[in-house]
Amino acid sequence: MAFGSRSSQAVLVLGFLAIIYGVPACQVVVDLRRQRPVQATDLFRNVPSVKNLRSFERALETTWWGQESIRPAIQEALYLSLRDAGAKAIAGRDGWLFYRPGVDYLIARDRQEIESTDSLWAPPPTDRTRRDSVVRAIVEYRLQLQQRGIELLVVPVPGKASVYPDKLTRRFASHPDDFRSPTEDLLEELDRQGVPTVQLFDAFRQARRNDSASSSDRAYFLACDTHWTPEGAAVAARAVAEGVRKLGWTCESPFEYGTEEVRVRRRGDIGEMTLIPALARNCGSEEVCCGQILDPLVGPMVPLRGGRAGRFKNDHLIDTPMEASLLVLGDSFCRIYQCAEPASLGEVVESESAPTPAEASGNSKRMLPGSAGFPSRLAYELKSPVDCVVSDGGAATEVRQRLSVDSEILENKRIVIWEFAERDVQLGEAGWNNVPLPPEP
């Protein structure tokens, strides 16, 4: 018995050592075969600081040799047996999927910031929280804009779990209005700092209450996607238009835009992010009706070929050029239904009469359907053209960096509308850098 016990222990130890050393050994072989630097040597090339070790850890996760071969099979088995949707998703009720980082933001406490340093030891936390850092970045940016005579309107977009907590858990099944997002505390702090904001959380609560009273089954978010439906974009556009008017802005020459109904079939991005084939198949696709906004002179409001993405102009067709005095800085909530998107996300099903915008150059992207997203809906509500700078996942800093190198974008602007997904608040100081405005022309 003792010999058998020792043999079993030896087998377990050898198996454990094979796993511990076998995985990095295989990674070295893969790196050499792909003719790229051996990643393990990064430990010796860089100073072992907190920053460098975190960077090394993230690189391991993204370049591991089993990322595309072993991990999907394991995740598939876990999903089929335990309904585990993996690290990127949470399976909700009635077939709904939620983006896990967005849910984690809602339930996690606001963390204290850590001083940025290359010390060998972990730096102590500061007296600032991540929300404090976001407020400071927004207030600083507003001051820069005010020096140019431009107002700032801040618009955090609720995540799907904030609007539909009842689809995430039974706890809110009968009273979804009871859920309060931590982003609402951010809005209150910005109000105390004198920064104009738009409270979309209340706008969606009111929309759902109205639907409940009228027995409507409208959905404001896609069931298997992180983004809103066209109806959700319209709710947001109406609320933001009201906020713009409260700032005293009025359109000097109201412009009447037309609308056209276009049906689009979309495949959810959450299923694709999980890399679990069975989950992606269960998601299927959702058909939504988009209200495409049409300029009476040129049709769909999409950028001219060769022009800056996000800028629509029709001044080549009229005697008096229409220059937008409003600029939207936003993320994928501005891109969806508005700009060219990956072809894998869906296709146009049906258009009433006028042809939908042509596909973008190349075969990888198409308009789905174009001119039906938040920027065009806002132009429709305000009866005035709207410029936009859009970066998927980059509304905290990247859109401002793009603006900082192009002074033309801010010409004749009176209001900047800064839209960002609420989960970006958790990035704190690391994701909300101070970015200067472009030099004045």
Side-chain angles (χ1 to χ4, degrees):
M1 289 294 293
F3 176 79
S5 177
R6 287 196 295 272
S7 298
S8 299
Q9 292 174 358
V11 170
L12 289 174
V13 170
L14 290 174
F16 177 75
L17 292 176
I19 294 174
I20 293 297
Y21 292 101
V23 172
C26 289
Q27 185 67 49
V28 170
V29 173
V30 170
D31 289 340
L32 292 174
R33 291 188 62 181
R34 294 179 178 177
Q35 298 182 346
R36 65 187 185 191
V38 176
Q39 188 178 11
T41 60
D42 289 349
L43 284 173
F44 308 100
R45 286 200 298 264
N46 301 316
V47 176
S49 65
V50 173
K51 178 181 177 181
N52 289 336
L53 289 175
R54 290 296 186 192
S55 178
F56 177 75
E57 182 181 45
R58 288 192 294 270
L60 281 178
E61 293 177 352
T62 56
T63 62
W64 174 49
W65 59 271
Q67 181 79 11
E68 298 178 356
S69 56
I70 297 178
R71 178 175 288 181
I74 295 174
Q75 290 182 327
E76 181 98 347
L78 289 173
Y79 176 72
L80 293 174
S81 60
L82 302 175
R83 311 305 290 176
D84 183 349
K88 293 292 184 69
I90 296 176
R93 304 174 63 215
D94 303 327
W96 281 50
L97 277 181
F98 291 83
Y99 187 47
R100 185 180 291 273
V103 176
D104 290 344
Y105 160 71
L106 296 178
I107 62 179
R109 294 183 58 186
D110 189 17
R111 298 180 183 177
Q112 288 182 300
E113 291 282 13
I114 301 295
E115 290 288 356
S116 178
T117 178
D118 283 333
S119 168
L120 295 176
W121 307 102
T126 68
D127 58 352
R128 301 189 306 270
T129 65
R130 292 182 176 180
R131 190 178 68 209
D132 294 335
S133 297
V134 175
V135 170
R136 187 172 62 256
I138 292 174
V139 170
E140 172 62 27
Y141 204 61
R142 185 197 182 214
L143 291 175
Q144 292 185 53
L145 288 168
Q146 283 183 320
Q147 291 172 1
R148 302 276 184 95
I150 302 172
E151 284 288 350
L152 175 66
L153 183 62
V154 177
V155 186
V157 173
K160 182 161 65 174
S162 293
V163 178
Y164 287 97
D166 49 315
K167 293 294 186 181
L168 178 63
T169 171
R170 294 182 183 276
R171 182 180 303 177
F172 295 99
S174 58
H175 42 86
D177 280 5
D178 288 354
F179 179 78
R180 177 181 169 84
S181 167
T183 308
E184 296 181 73
D185 295 329
L186 171 72
L187 288 167
E188 291 179 355
E189 179 59 29
L190 289 173
D191 287 340
R192 285 192 288 270
Q193 297 286 340
V195 178
T197 62
V198 175
Q199 231 286 18
L200 290 183
F201 298 85
D202 286 343
F204 280 109
R205 289 189 188 109
Q206 187 59 52
R208 291 200 66 188
R209 282 195 292 267
N210 294 341
D211 290 344
S212 178
S214 61
S215 301
S216 173
D217 59 353
R218 280 182 296 188
Y220 298 104
F221 274 76
L222 298 164
C224 294
D225 198 285
T226 54
H227 302 98
W228 46 31
T229 62
E231 289 86 352
V235 168
R238 287 193 291 270
V240 173
E242 182 180 350
V244 168
R245 296 188 188 100
K246 287 181 179 179
L247 289 177
W249 182 92
T250 56
C251 182
E252 296 179 0
S253 303
F255 198 72
E256 294 294 337
Y257 294 105
T259 61
E260 179 187 341
E261 183 176 300
V262 180
R263 302 197 71 82
V264 173
R265 185 177 294 115
R266 296 193 62 91
R267 286 175 283 278
D269 61 355
I270 300 179
E272 286 197 353
M273 286 189 288
T274 64
L275 301 178
I276 303 176
L279 189 152
R281 288 193 301 270
N282 287 345
C283 287
S285 60
E286 299 176 67
E287 190 170 309
V288 294
C289 181
C290 301
Q292 194 174 52
I293 308 302
L294 306 176
D295 184 290
L297 296 175
V298 298
M301 301 168 64
V302 296
L304 297 174
R305 184 177 298 276
R308 172 174 58 81
R311 186 180 191 190
F312 169 75
K313 294 183 70 177
N314 63 3
D315 56 10
H316 61 297
L317 296 174
I318 57 180
D319 294 331
T320 304
M322 295 189 64
E323 185 69 28
S325 61
L326 293 97
L327 172 67
V328 176
L329 302 178
D331 53 20
S332 55
F333 280 90
C334 285
R335 181 260 303 155
I336 189 170
Y337 315 117
Q338 182 73 19
C339 306
E341 299 182 88
S344 61
L345 289 181
E347 61 277 333
V348 174
V349 178
E350 180 184 358
S351 177
E352 281 185 345
S353 56
T356 57
E359 293 189 7
S361 58
N363 298 320
S364 62
K365 290 189 175 183
R366 61 163 64 104
M367 293 291 186
L368 299 171
S371 192
F374 172 77
S376 288
R377 297 296 316 186
L378 182 60
Y380 176 82
E381 295 293 335
L382 293 172
K383 303 183 186 301
S384 177
V386 172
D387 265 2
C388 64
V389 178
V390 177
S391 174
D392 282 15
T397 294
E398 187 174 332
V399 288
R400 291 182 292 147
Q401 290 173 334
R402 293 186 184 183
L403 176 61
S404 69
V405 296
D406 191 344
S407 58
E408 173 270 337
I409 300 177
L410 274 183
E411 287 183 5
N412 303 312
K413 296 299 184 291
R414 291 176 54 192
I415 295 178
V416 170
I417 300 164
W418 191 357
E419 174 273 317
F420 55 86
E422 65 167 330
R423 64 176 178 269
D424 284 351
V425 176
Q426 68 185 333
L427 300 175
E429 189 174 39
W432 291 77
N433 302 330
N434 285 326
V435 180
L437 293 177
E440 293 190 66

